[in-house]
Amino acid sequence: EYITPAGRRPQPLLELSALDSDYTITVQLKLEEKITDEVVHVQSAVLYTNCYGQRVIRVINSVFRVSTDLMTNFKGMDVEAVAALLIRKNIISINSLMVKQVREAIINQLVEILYAYRFNCANQSPSGQLILPEALKVLPCYILSILKAHVLRLTPDVKPDERSFDLHRFLRLPINYMSTILYPKLYSIHNFYQAEQLGPGATTEEGRVVLMANIATTQDKFDDDGIYLLDNGETIYVYVRKDASSVILMSLFGFETPEEISAQVIALPGLEDDYNVRITNIIEQLRKNKNSSYQNVRVVVQGDPFE
């Protein structure tokens, strides 16, 4: 069964009017007999006409190891793929079910996965202790995020076109892009104002920009004097906290206080300052790494209504 923005397609062959490099199709395979081999081979093929009018075929071969041990299966799970499957196979029903019913279905299936792990793989642990599979630790976070998205939000301020847009994009986005929207990447940029020669933002001999490691996107990671980049896959936000250093703000924005930045700055300005250049380099490298649509940059100051 195929799950696409056009709906569920149970037929063995899937036909589409158009296809681009960012289009993702979710496929569920049903096993009708027991597998006795140690590995299985899956082959898929796409027959299409390219932009030059040529009929071409792309064949993809995959090999998977077979295991009947649940612990091994849980360890080998891809959390982004599991989250995408849970989300897509449920939100596709939003045209025939109420939003509340779709939300409940996703939550129940998440609970069933975690209960199966607890019952079959960790039943010796204390009953009051929360046990999660190592590979699926962030799965509840992804599910909570989709529940807050327009497609499944219950608040009356969500417009039909916003819900429709969210439905379409979550059904077709690449998995790595989708996971970034659900759980944005957070980077601290105020702690390397005085960076080494090959510190974050510097360019290597190969032409790549040195990036810093991202941190957990949680409230406790924000310092009152911090400045951060928040990348949600669509927009890169420069988030300025209320007690940020005036020296760093002057180097980055050309203004000394968050109030001035909030009133006069929307996007990151281009200044002849080493720190500003390095942050600009980092933003450009983050854009290149996505290999998708161009990401805008927006500056948000703590206390701003947009926050």
Side-chain angles (χ1 to χ4, degrees), residues 79-113:
V79 64
E80 282 82 12
V82 173
L85 178 60
L86 273 180
I87 291 169
R88 289 172 177 172
K89 75 176 187 177
N90 283 285
I91 64 175
I92 195 66
S93 305
I94 203 169
N95 292 327
S96 57
L97 297 176
M98 297 178 61
V99 175
K100 184 178 180 180
Q101 293 175 303
V102 177
R103 289 169 59 95
E104 291 175 351
I106 293 180
I107 294 173
N108 290 337
Q109 290 168 27
L110 171 63
V111 171
E112 289 174 2
I113 292 174

Side-chain angles (χ1 to χ4, degrees), residues 8 13 39-40 43 72-73 89 112 117 168 195 197 217 221 256 262 276 306:
R8 294 178 180 269
L13 297 178
V39 296
V40 294
Q43 185 179 80
T72 301
N73 291 335
K89 75 176 187 177
E112 289 174 2
Y117 177 80
H168 181 78
Q197 184 176 0
T217 312
K221 297 299 181 181
E256 293 186 344
S262 179
N276 179 281
F306 187 77

Side-chain angles (χ1 to χ4, degrees), residues 20-39:
D20 59 62
S21 58
D22 290 330
Y23 199 102
T24 304
I25 301 170
T26 304
V27 183
Q28 291 189 97
L29 300 177
K30 182 180 179 181
L31 301 179
E32 298 181 347
E33 57 185 47
K34 186 177 180 179
I35 299 176
T36 58
D37 297 329
E38 294 185 356
V39 296

Side-chain angles (χ1 to χ4, degrees), residues 2-5 14 16 19 23-27 88 171-172:
Y2 302 97
I3 300 175
T4 73
L14 178 64
L16 298 170
L19 195 66
Y23 199 102
T24 304
I25 301 170
T26 304
V27 183
R88 289 172 177 172
L171 284 174
R172 62 162 290 164

Side-chain angles (χ1 to χ4, degrees), residues 23-299:
Y23 199 102
T24 304
I25 301 170
T26 304
V27 183
Q28 291 189 97
L29 300 177
K30 182 180 179 181
L31 301 179
E32 298 181 347
E33 57 185 47
K34 186 177 180 179
I35 299 176
T36 58
D37 297 329
E38 294 185 356
V39 296
V40 294
H41 301 261
V42 178
Q43 185 179 80
S44 58
V46 181
L47 178 64
Y48 63 99
T49 304
N50 63 20
C51 58
Y52 303 104
Q54 301 169 323
R55 292 288 285 171
V56 295
I57 185 170
R58 172 169 292 183
V59 179
I60 303 171
N61 296 305
S62 304
V63 180
F64 302 97
R65 186 179 298 276
V66 177
S67 174
T68 57
D69 180 51
L70 278 178
M71 178 64 79
T72 301
N73 291 335
F74 272 108
K75 285 182 177 179
M77 284 186 175
D78 185 324
V79 64
E80 282 82 12
V82 173
L85 178 60
L86 273 180
I87 291 169
R88 289 172 177 172
K89 75 176 187 177
N90 283 285
I91 64 175
I92 195 66
S93 305
I94 203 169
N95 292 327
S96 57
L97 297 176
M98 297 178 61
V99 175
K100 184 178 180 180
Q101 293 175 303
V102 177
R103 289 169 59 95
E104 291 175 351
I106 293 180
I107 294 173
N108 290 337
Q109 290 168 27
L110 171 63
V111 171
E112 289 174 2
I113 292 174
L114 300 182
Y115 175 76
Y117 177 80
R118 177 61 185 259
F119 182 79
N120 295 287
C121 305
N123 53 9
Q124 301 298 324
S125 302
S127 59
Q129 184 178 357
L130 179 62
I131 304 295
L132 297 176
E134 185 66 29
L136 301 181
K137 278 189 174 181
V138 297
L139 182 59
C141 182
Y142 284 140
I143 300 305
L144 288 174
S145 296
I146 193 64
L147 295 179
K148 297 178 181 180
H150 286 145
V151 66
L152 292 180
R153 194 183 299 175
L154 293 175
T155 53
D157 61 318
V158 180
K159 300 176 183 178
D161 57 341
E162 292 175 333
R163 199 182 300 277
S164 177
F165 171 76
D166 249 14
L167 174 64
H168 181 78
R169 71 170 179 166
F170 280 122
L171 284 174
R172 62 162 290 164
L173 282 177
I175 290 179
N176 61 332
Y177 194 177
M178 179 177 173
S179 63
T180 305
I181 291 178
L182 293 175
Y183 190 75
K185 296 185 183 301
L186 181 66
Y187 302 90
S188 173
I189 62 173
H190 62 280
N191 51 7
F192 58 83
Y193 175 69
Q194 299 290 345
E196 299 177 357
Q197 184 176 0
L198 285 179
T203 303
T204 65
E205 295 180 356
E206 293 77 21
R208 291 190 60 85
V209 175
V210 178
L211 296 179
M212 57 284 176
N214 63 297
I215 59 179
T217 312
T218 56
Q219 183 64 37
D220 62 303
K221 297 299 181 181
F222 289 100
D223 298 327
D224 289 337
D225 61 346
I227 305 175
Y228 302 88
L229 292 182
L230 184 66
D231 178 9
N232 70 355
E234 296 180 327
T235 303
I236 297 176
Y237 296 96
V238 183
Y239 181 46
V240 181
R241 300 285 282 181
K242 60 181 180 180
D243 295 330
S245 166
S246 58
V247 176
I248 298 179
L249 294 181
M250 177 59 73
S251 295
L252 189 58
F253 301 104
F255 296 96
E256 293 186 344
T257 65
E259 291 75 19
E260 291 178 300
I261 295 171
S262 179
Q264 303 188 53
V265 178
I266 298 178
L268 185 67
L271 304 177
E272 293 182 1
D273 184 276
D274 178 68
Y275 182 63
N276 179 281
V277 171
R278 284 189 283 124
I279 300 303
T280 301
N281 290 342
I282 290 171
I283 291 174
E284 289 299 324
Q285 188 63 52
L286 290 175
R287 286 169 170 163
K288 291 178 181 178
N289 291 348
K290 292 294 183 305
N291 194 28
S292 59
S293 57
Y294 186 81
Q295 289 178 279
N296 290 324
V297 175
R298 177 161 184 168
V299 177

